[in-house]
Amino acid sequence: MKLVLDWDGTATERDTLDMLLSEFGRTLPGGSGSFREVMEREMASLRLPLEQAVAWLVEHARVRPGFHELAREHRPLIVSSSFEETIRPILEREGIELGVVANRVDARSDGWRVLWRDDSVCPECGDVCKRGALPEPPFAYAGDGWSDHCAALAATRVFARDGLADHLDEQGVAYERFDDLHDIGRALT
């Protein structure tokens, strides 16, 4: 079964965009708009050059325990609402090559602009989402947050933590909880 892995807060210990916003921009309180609106407003608060952001992330972002083993044994597809420009340098630092489907960014000095991979509205959730980037079932999906809600509902098997686990509990949807990526690797063997 193909494994699809979210990046921020799933493959990484902390959400890398939240890290950038905490250090260089500003985050918005929960419930202040659609995913698209929140993402665009938050990214617009970043004004640093992309090279500086990438260097800072490469120094500070950490992959979750078990990432190397999971990547080697299951070759997951990374499907992320984050940016190829910030994901690939961390994968390179880790010496791992995986398929990545993510947004792009235009890192302007007057505020970053999200270049949506697919900016159409999802018929399932009514927002921009990852569902259109998913492989044909059956596949397993692992995620942790808001941008994973719709994608997880399309999966045959779901691994969840944090906000995604809370959402699935509210929806009455079955999932397997994980703490680190060793948990997912063991469950898939």
Side-chain angles (χ1 to χ4, degrees):
M1 180 179 301
K2 180 72 179 167
L3 174 62
V4 178
L5 191 64
D6 169 55
W7 179 251
D8 283 312
T10 302
T12 61
E13 290 182 347
R14 293 180 53 210
D15 184 308
T16 60
L17 293 183
D18 284 350
M19 290 171 64
L20 284 175
L21 291 167
S22 293
E23 187 72 16
F24 304 105
R26 65 180 173 82
T27 58
L28 298 174
S32 55
S34 69
F35 179 75
R36 178 189 196 119
E37 292 165 343
V38 169
M39 179 93 159
E40 288 178 350
R41 284 191 314 237
E42 286 182 338
M43 292 305 106
S45 76
L46 294 172
R47 301 187 184 310
L48 71 161
L50 181 60
E51 298 77 23
Q52 181 184 348
V54 167
W56 189 87
L57 284 174
V58 166
E59 180 180 347
H60 293 95
R62 297 291 165 251
V63 295
R64 190 168 296 285
F67 181 70
H68 286 266
E69 296 84 353
L70 193 69
R72 184 175 56 250
E73 294 170 20
H74 297 281
R75 307 292 305 154
L77 172 65
I78 303 291
V79 176
S80 178
S81 292
S82 191
F83 307 120
E84 284 194 38
E85 295 88 347
T86 59
I87 295 170
R88 291 196 185 277
I90 296 168
L91 288 173
E92 288 172 16
R93 179 196 72 197
E94 297 296 321
I96 295 174
E97 289 185 34
L98 294 173
V100 175
V101 180
N103 296 313
R104 305 295 305 245
V105 65
D106 180 5
R108 302 163 140 193
S109 61
D110 64 341
W112 287 18
R113 304 293 188 271
V114 179
L115 304 175
W116 296 99
R117 177 197 58 77
D118 178 359
D119 68 353
S120 61
V121 174
C122 173
E124 298 296 323
C125 69
D127 206 346
V128 294
C129 84
K130 300 176 187 178
R131 194 178 275 249
L134 299 174
E136 290 294 318
F139 65 91
Y141 187 87
D144 75 305
W146 187 8
S147 71
D148 301 308
H149 290 185
C150 191
L153 295 177
T156 307
R157 188 172 182 186
V158 179
F159 298 94
R161 58 179 288 116
D162 298 338
L164 177 59
D166 295 341
H167 175 73
L168 295 174
D169 285 339
E170 290 169 7
Q171 301 298 312
V173 175
Y175 65 92
E176 298 168 65
R177 187 173 291 277
F178 73 96
D179 290 315
D180 64 32
L181 298 178
H182 293 293
D183 296 336
I184 297 173
R186 283 190 294 271
L188 291 174
T189 55

